[in-house]
Amino acid sequence: ETGVTQSPTHLIKTRGQQVTLRCSSQSGHNTVSWYQQALGQGPQFIFQYYREEENGRGNFPPRFSGLQFPNYSSELNVNALELDDSALYLCASSLAGVGETQYFGPGTRLLVL
Amino acid sequence: AQSVTQLGSHVSVSEGALVLLRCNYSSSVPPYLFWYVQYPNQGLQLLLKYTSAATLVKGINGFEAEFKKSETSFHLTKPSAHMSDAAEYFCAVTVSGAQKLVFGQGTRLTINP
């Protein structure tokens, strides 16, 4: 059974640029959630995708957008990068349902200069 | 809205001593509660979860947590600390109908030899 994978592992961008982060969900999982973890903080929910549709969103601006593909993999896109976007971005996959466990990938560390 | 408070951003114990990490939650409906561990430069790994089946939940690596509704708590314990337990620990809550996990700020556990 393959776990959640994310790419790239590290990324450096400059302010104003755009970035795409990728996530492959664990085998059998149909739901993907994205979180932002700033240094020294707990993860903050960005949004969730289920069956290729956004299924809930946290308090993040529209320049944070996502996609889910038929194989349940997902992308997180961030436009017009700001310095405060520097963080660890975590992807989690799960089954759909109440109280289902979310399994996390290793994350992508984004640095915006 | 749900929330989690982890008391103590940093806990230090001696090897072999009891580990106690505190988590209090706020939820107007029955919660699902989770403890995750994060090792340096890695993603989150599930330690255990509470889904109302039993109030005392046993997890991996000798950790356990007890759900106390009257105290709105879900503290994490381990009878005897190992050096390998040094990591960041996060408590998280979700409820039926919600898509997201709400995390606490985390507790950094240090083990002294």
Side-chain angles (χ1 to χ4, degrees):
Chain A
E1 183 178 274
T2 305
V4 180
T5 60
Q6 293 185 244
S7 63
T9 56
H10 295 83
L11 206 50
I12 300 175
K13 292 287 187 178
T14 56
R15 194 170 48 183
Q17 285 188 313
Q18 178 266 342
V19 69
T20 298
L21 310 182
R22 294 177 175 83
C23 171
S24 292
S25 60
Q26 184 169 312
S27 177
H29 287 177
N30 54 16
T31 300
V32 173
S33 304
W34 286 91
Y35 294 82
Q36 181 195 65
Q37 186 180 18
L39 201 61
Q41 304 293 320
Q44 298 289 318
F45 176 72
I46 303 175
F47 43 56
Q48 184 182 87
Y49 277 82
Y50 170 64
R51 290 186 174 181
E52 303 177 55
E53 297 284 336
E54 189 178 286
N55 185 42
R57 187 178 184 94
N59 189 26
F60 281 82
R63 59 189 185 84
F64 285 77
S65 63
L67 284 172
Q68 187 180 32
F69 299 100
N71 66 354
Y72 306 124
S73 65
S74 178
E75 287 182 355
L76 165 64
N77 299 288
V78 187
N79 294 321
L81 283 167
E82 301 177 359
L83 298 180
D84 285 349
D85 296 333
S86 296
L88 180 68
Y89 288 85
L90 295 165
C91 166
S93 76
S94 63
L95 295 171
V98 173
E100 289 291 340
T101 299
Q102 294 188 18
Y103 295 90
F104 285 81
T108 294
R109 188 163 296 282
L110 173 64
L111 177 61
V112 182
L113 301 176
Chain B
Q2 304 82 45
S3 66
V4 169
T5 301
Q6 291 185 239
L7 298 175
S9 59
H10 191 188
V11 170
S12 181
V13 302
S14 298
E15 191 174 17
L18 171 72
V19 174
L20 171 61
L21 305 182
R22 300 178 186 274
C23 171
N24 287 90
Y25 70 92
S26 174
S27 175
S28 58
V29 296
Y32 298 87
L33 294 158
F34 303 79
W35 275 100
Y36 285 87
V37 61
Q38 186 175 37
Y39 298 100
N41 300 313
Q42 293 188 26
L44 302 177
Q45 180 183 6
L46 179 71
L47 282 176
L48 49 81
K49 72 174 186 180
Y50 167 75
T51 58
S52 78
T55 56
L56 183 62
V57 182
K58 294 188 183 298
I60 63 171
N61 301 339
F63 284 94
E64 63 181 36
E66 185 172 9
F67 174 72
K68 292 187 177 180
K69 183 178 178 180
S70 61
E71 299 177 9
T72 61
S73 69
F74 190 57
H75 302 332
L76 182 70
T77 60
K78 182 174 180 177
S80 177
H82 294 172
M83 296 299 292
S84 60
D85 294 328
E88 188 90 19
Y89 291 80
F90 292 95
C91 181
V93 64
T94 190
V95 298
S96 177
Q99 294 79 30
K100 63 181 180 181
L101 287 171
V102 175
F103 286 86
Q105 291 288 84
T107 297
R108 181 168 299 278
L109 176 64
T110 302
I111 311 296
N112 302 311

